[in-house]
Amino acid sequence: MVKSTLRQNDDDRVNESGSDDGLDASICVIDHAQRRLTFAGANLPLLFTQHGQIKEICGDRHSLGYRSSKSDFIFTNHVVPFEAGQAFYMVTDGVTDQIGGPTGRLFGRRRLMAALEDGLALPMQGQMDRILDILTAYRGHEARRDDQTFFGFVPLTAAPRDEEKQTPKSFK
């Protein structure tokens, strides 16, 4: 659909400008009843907490919409069981690809994951503020290279699994 919308299908001659537009994207679907999250990513990862550490699931190495992108590509659905209080983070490549620091290097995923892990004790808003402060300081006087989106969430409610449901007690 993205290729068609951008008029970049192989057989589409309408786009004669030579443009080759597309995007990387990710999506999560939460099933509260089953306490699981399904993630699919086009060149973007899902980060999440597990036992006090930040874990990563890489998206597929495939973008959407570009002329070279396969229209029939099937993205991998990664199913992640979650526990109450577990946090999830989604980020665009503009965050990790930001140039800065004393050597003018990329911010990178390792630096992002370390910054997240160091701030896990903070509430979600505090984590978001901390990442923004760290990224701003790292960027310094460098221009922002790309869009930068960082999204964190904690599923607020989750229905208990069948084995955790309590049997109603009767009183006499």
Side-chain angles (χ1 to χ4, degrees):
M1 287 174 40
V2 174
K3 282 182 95 161
S4 178
T5 300
L6 295 173
R7 297 183 177 177
Q8 294 180 160
N9 294 327
D10 295 334
D11 60 345
D12 193 348
R13 305 255 185 252
V14 176
N15 185 353
E16 295 177 9
S17 68
S19 70
D20 188 14
D21 296 320
L23 65 137
D24 295 337
S26 60
I27 187 168
C28 287
V29 176
I30 298 173
D31 180 342
H32 290 284
Q34 297 296 316
R35 283 189 183 179
R36 66 182 180 196
L37 176 145
T38 303
F39 161 77
N43 276 327
L44 294 178
L46 174 69
L47 305 174
F48 61 98
T49 59
Q50 188 173 55
H51 308 297
Q53 294 183 322
I54 298 294
K55 301 291 183 177
E56 176 183 29
I57 297 175
C58 294
D60 291 302
R61 295 183 137 243
H62 196 275
S63 295
L64 299 169
Y66 294 103
R67 290 187 183 275
S68 62
S69 299
K70 296 178 182 176
S71 297
D72 60 349
F73 186 83
I74 305 293
F75 287 90
T76 306
N77 287 329
H78 301 272
V79 178
V80 181
F82 66 85
E83 300 171 1
Q86 193 170 6
F88 295 87
Y89 310 92
M90 299 169 77
V91 60
T92 60
D93 60 349
V95 172
T96 54
D97 290 351
Q98 179 60 54
I99 297 289
T103 59
R105 293 181 170 239
L106 297 177
F107 188 69
R109 279 195 195 154
R110 273 191 238 147
R111 190 172 278 113
L112 173 63
M113 290 172 68
L116 275 172
E117 206 163 273
D118 289 345
L120 285 180
L122 298 171
M124 186 59 73
Q125 185 61 53
Q127 291 179 47
M128 296 294 111
D129 293 342
R130 184 173 187 281
I131 292 297
L132 180 60
D133 291 345
I134 289 170
L135 186 60
T136 300
Y138 186 82
R139 183 173 66 227
H141 298 294
E142 295 288 337
R144 197 171 82 187
R145 295 180 60 175
D146 198 355
D147 65 286
Q148 295 181 338
T149 303
F150 186 80
F151 179 73
F153 63 95
V154 176
L156 296 177
T157 59
R161 294 182 180 161
D162 287 339
E163 65 269 14
E164 296 176 16
K165 290 182 182 175
Q166 294 182 2
T167 307
K169 297 178 182 173
S170 57
F171 296 95
K172 292 185 180 183

